[in-house]
Amino acid sequence: MGTGGTDVLVVGAGPSGLFAAVELARHGVAARVIEREPVPHQQARATALQPGTLEILEPAGVADRALAASEHLEYARVFDPGLNCRAEMAFAGAGCRWEFQCSLPQWRTEQILADRLAELGGTVERGVSVVSVQERDGGLRVGLQRAGEAPSTAEAGWVIGAGGARSVTRGSMDEDLSGMTYPGPALVADVRVACELPRDGAALVGSPEGYVLLAPLPGNRWICFVGDLDEAEAQRLDGDRSRAAVAAAIGRRIPAGVLRVDDVAWAAPFRMHRRMASRLADHRRFLLGDAGHLSSPFGGEGLNSGLHDAHNLAWKLALAQRGRARPSLLESFAPERALADRHVLEVSDSLHRLAYGAVESARTGLYPEPPAPERLAALVRARSMLDISYAGTPLVGEYLAPDAPRPGGPAPGDRYPGRDGLSGPGHHLVISGRADDARLARLRERWLGVVDVSRAEAHPDGPDGPDGPDGPRASSAILVRPDGYVGFRAGPADEAGLRAVDSHLSSYLRPA
């Protein structure tokens, strides 16, 4: 029996685990990443990267690679069985630098993340399974198993469970994924088809026999979901995933003269779930992605929510590893991500119901009126993952003097629109208008190495940019967290306001 120690052990080299390791490395922490599969898979699986996810991939140095490798989907459309368009939703106007989804196979996303991890000095140990995770004084003892070798153990300060729905880490926390399984099995397949569907968006085809969801992939391929299978059809597909079998399933819903299946690279029957663990963390174990929550694939948010889980956790773990965090910082991961992940489940569920609405419309011939513009805009932002907010959670706060005008810009807990104008992986305190310079200097010295202070004028795209034509804007101090969310807002940025910022930082960080 061998023993090895590490500060952070990441279980699973899927997108969530790899991105957690990349983000930790970017923040100066080398994590050990283990994966039970001996070689990388080549399956399409989850294929969408949302606009809000591209925002968090950019500082990690992988957004440009994903953009170059993927198809860019600017629309989501609903069609009838004859491929006549019945509804259309555009990503334009979502309020992001990238107003489209990136579509690429999951294996390619994992390859991009693994390459970036290697550039940062990390690696993936393959063919290693976790068989147990046990608490011990000051850390965790993890049981490991390699094929053909004797069991071994490793000591870890923290364990990140990113090993999928059958997570051993979650099991060690006595947690289940509670919720519901959607009725009826479905089929997912990586196909090449001949059809007249435009390749600038995803296509949901509703027919009286069920639905087919098609989204373009690189190489003139498509990811395809076939839903509303009956049990007999699902059993046949479980035993036969050939081109002819997949074509027959699609052909029941879309006439062969309208769409022809030319090739099937991979196919798998599956069931869709809406489930979530009641706890996404205890004090040394954390659940990311499918280990903590499962959502319907409609909208393509499951993989994305796992990446956002990793983004939320990595900077907190890095500060804890450096000795700059109080316990409340790591404790904030579970309530923040539970709030966000529940929202993802709700959005995915609404899009899932939309698919069955399209089936019903095909049966009746009655198609609903398009939603009101404001409702459509909210749906676009939601499925783009641009409306996530941590408002009301313990790590978010505000101070406003009684007689001070309310500062403009994002509210505490919201995504900071000028985040791409802020350089470096730490906190940023953005000052707008007049500030108490003496207090600001003390605050800068006290939080050296953790907080960078800048003027809003340096970030003209932000909401608290330069003074307007009618005079100076309201004085304010906005604390932007390393993950790009507003952690605290004070107005004005005077002695009392900056003291409130300092007090907020002291609630979860240790000063220099």
Side-chain angles (χ1 to χ4, degrees), residues 167-191:
S167 169
V168 174
T169 307
R170 189 185 67 245
S172 75
M173 297 164 57
D174 295 323
E175 280 292 322
D176 293 319
L177 291 175
S178 59
M180 61 166 285
T181 297
Y182 289 100
L187 178 78
V188 58
D190 175 350
V191 300

Side-chain angles (χ1 to χ4, degrees), residues 257-345:
V258 176
L259 182 147
R260 185 185 74 241
V261 179
D262 291 336
D263 174 66
V264 176
W266 164 78
F270 73 108
R271 290 186 178 271
M272 304 184 195
H273 305 275
R274 178 180 176 172
R275 296 181 177 274
M276 187 167 170
S278 62
R279 291 185 304 155
L280 295 177
D282 61 15
H283 66 294
R284 292 192 174 273
R285 288 170 284 198
F286 307 89
L287 303 177
L288 307 185
D290 287 355
H293 42 85
L294 297 171
S295 60
S296 166
F298 286 99
E301 296 196 312
L303 179 151
N304 292 268
S305 59
L307 296 177
H308 285 261
D309 291 341
H311 192 237
N312 182 280
L313 177 62
W315 67 272
K316 299 174 180 179
L317 262 182
L319 286 166
Q321 192 268 349
R322 287 167 52 193
R324 297 299 299 269
R326 301 187 190 277
S328 55
L329 180 58
L330 286 180
E331 290 167 2
S332 72
F333 168 78
E336 288 191 349
R337 288 312 301 164
L339 183 68
D341 291 331
R342 278 195 293 269
H343 179 58
V344 165
L345 294 186

Side-chain angles (χ1 to χ4, degrees), residues 127-141:
V128 184
S129 297
V130 172
V131 295
S132 63
V133 182
Q134 298 176 323
E135 283 203 62
R136 60 186 301 277
D137 291 342
L140 298 164
R141 176 167 292 168

Side-chain angles (χ1 to χ4, degrees), residues 134-164:
Q134 298 176 323
E135 283 203 62
R136 60 186 301 277
D137 291 342
L140 298 164
R141 176 167 292 168
V142 183
L144 304 176
Q145 180 68 64
R146 293 178 186 269
E149 296 185 10
S152 63
T153 61
E155 305 293 328
W158 298 280
V159 169
I160 297 176

Side-chain angles (χ1 to χ4, degrees), residues 92-106:
C96 176
R97 186 170 156 193
W98 302 281
E99 295 185 331
F100 51 81
Q101 287 182 339
C102 281
S103 180
L104 72 168
Q106 183 175 323

